[in-house]
Amino acid sequence: MTPASGSDSKGKPKGYFGDPLNMPVQYLKGIGPARAKDLAKQGIATVRDLIERVPRAYRDYSRFKHIAEAQNGQLESLMGTVVMVQDQRVRGHLNLTKVYISDGSGTAAGVWFNQPWQAKRFPVGTKVLFAGTVERRGAQIQIVNPEWEIIDEESSSDPLHAGRIVPVYPLTGSLNPRDVRRAVHFALQSAVHLMPDTLPPAVRERQGLMAMQEAWRSIHFPDSEAQKERARTTLAFEELLVLQTGLALVRRQTVAEQVGIAHGPEGEVTRRFRASLPFRLTAAQERVIRQVAADMESPRPMNRLVQGDVGSGKTMVAVAALAKAVDSGHQGALMAPTEILAEQHYINLRRIFAPLGVEVVLLTGSLTKRERDANLGLLQMGAAQIAVGTHALIEDRVAFRDLSLVITDEQHRFGVRQRARLQQKGEVVPDVLVMTATPIPRTLALTLYGDLDVSVIDELPPGRRPVGTYWRPEASRKQVYDHLMRTEVPAGRQGYVVCPLVEESDKLQAQAATEWYERLRAEYPEVRLGLLHGRLRPAEKEAVMEAFRRGEIQVLVATTVIEVGVDVPNASMMIIEGADRFGLSQLHQLRGRVGRGNHQSYCVLIADPKNAEARERLQIMQKYSDGFSLAEKDLELRGPGEFFGTRQHGMPDLKVANPIADLPILERARAEAMRIVEEDPQLLRPEHQALRAAVKARLGEQFGFILVS
Ligand code: ADP
Ligand code: MG
């Protein structure tokens, strides 16, 4: 056959000769271009997509009842022979179709409103199944909009729509449940035998799992509740096994197989840094610093995550690690997700290190070429020991003379891939320390950072009082601002005003912030206001931040650019406008900018929320001040995906597994993954080929590692 010349857009494709799993869904029986488009809206393009999209729910129509025994209000499956079909008009415009079936014990009607075509489907004498919620009045039994199935020879052995546990899928456009179910059925028939068996047989046996093909079939059309559960466990396990295997490989490539730098013991820089501290480190800080130091002294590359709530003092851990690198005669780098934060760290580090004779340089994307070249020169010569920067640090050909330590701050924006890239910068593999304020329950830490060791700073510096958090309606705005401008500011405190969120663009957001600033300036001319948004040039941003730090600016009107890292202990009040439009984790980060000194601090959330979930978020913010409780609440509220923004982590979407609810499966999958990678580090054994292919296909790009083939 020759390809059709000038393909006919309306005509059905003549045939498909590629891999059946990759066949576009529109070639499936009963789908066609219109329904294919509706499926595409759900991200389903191929037969494989159709198989891999698990049902969103099930209805159990597996228990047949004699019609006479059908109970009012129950979900039932009734089977019988069509005895009569009625099509009637009621109240002028309403069309009522009733199809009566009988099974000898009684009669029941399937009822449809305004779907006269339904009548034609059920000629008298046809054997059918109706399933749905029974409405019974005396002997009159009916099901409105029943799931139905015509029982012919084929379907009596394998019904799809009734008389069984029936899968329910999300619907869009013109899709109806029957079409989708049928499409999935055809997809399974034509291609499920080609779905790879990613689970090595030994793992499958040890874990009591199904074969993958059986699992795919059963997740869509289970014969029983138990079979469905086993299928789900199998698929969740497989998904987590692939992920954990990927993480184990990354870990192996970055840690186990590489030689790192063995740093020396505590030296002069560290001692002088400690002596210069105006406060005592908390026990938690000391413990984490010890763990980091032990990693750094070991010749194995460090790969450690430090978790600590906002304000817990993570920067001190970073400084201690950098001091150790310098003491050992090497260089260290600190990376931050935003320029503001990088600049802030730069100023802090310079203040700490300059008196100790240690040179710190800044490297961000927006330095002038001359500044940049100068700083690069210092690093290459080894005249500067510490570099602070944004992503630009890893994105360019920044060459250090002797880089031994890379720290990334607020790491929730750096993925596995970026971490892996970091460790390719130096000649020997530098130690990597990742710091995050995102409170990650152990379950998710395993999912997201399975390649890292974890330390937790579980204590705030002494004297911190929880930030008093109040949700106020817009009608109270004046009062709230008066408190900030006329009570806090005259008492010598400072504050932040976070502008309403504008999603459309940076530019509109900057405009909105500017307008807000102008309004406040007109209203409170006696207060020294500053403005900070993402469209300012770096030098301008730095000038504003510096003025705020010195107290020349009393109230800073800002966008969420201040979300992370900004540290001005004298700031005691924050007003967040349009607070209902922020997520919990973002509100918590923002609130973390106040309550950093010894002054009682306040955060006022101004919002007139329109939906219940937003109201709940605001109430949660009022009630909880620590990140871990908030994270738990948020997980309850929204499920794991959104809170942690797995996309930001560069993690694949999980289609079946739920990293919170499936913790036991996750832990088993992790143990198996470590065992596999331990025994077969390149996944070269025949029984690991399918797993290897899956790891490559699903994670290769995100994790940026290469499996030598
Ligand atoms: P985060 O963990 O949010 O990055 P920072 O490192 O910015 O926290 O520290 C928050 C504030 O607490 C800073 O002003 C810092 O100087 C101060 N700080 C850190 N450790 C201590 C401590 N042990 N005692 C008192 N203040 C501390
Ligand atoms: Mg910080």
Side-chain angles (χ1 to χ4, degrees), residues 271-279 352 356:
R271 267 192 293 276
R272 289 178 55 199
F273 148 64
R274 280 181 170 277
S276 74
L277 275 176
F279 44 69
I352 294 170
L356 312 179

Side-chain angles (χ1 to χ4, degrees), residues 35 449 502 604:
R35 292 191 179 115
Y449 308 110
V502 181
V604 183

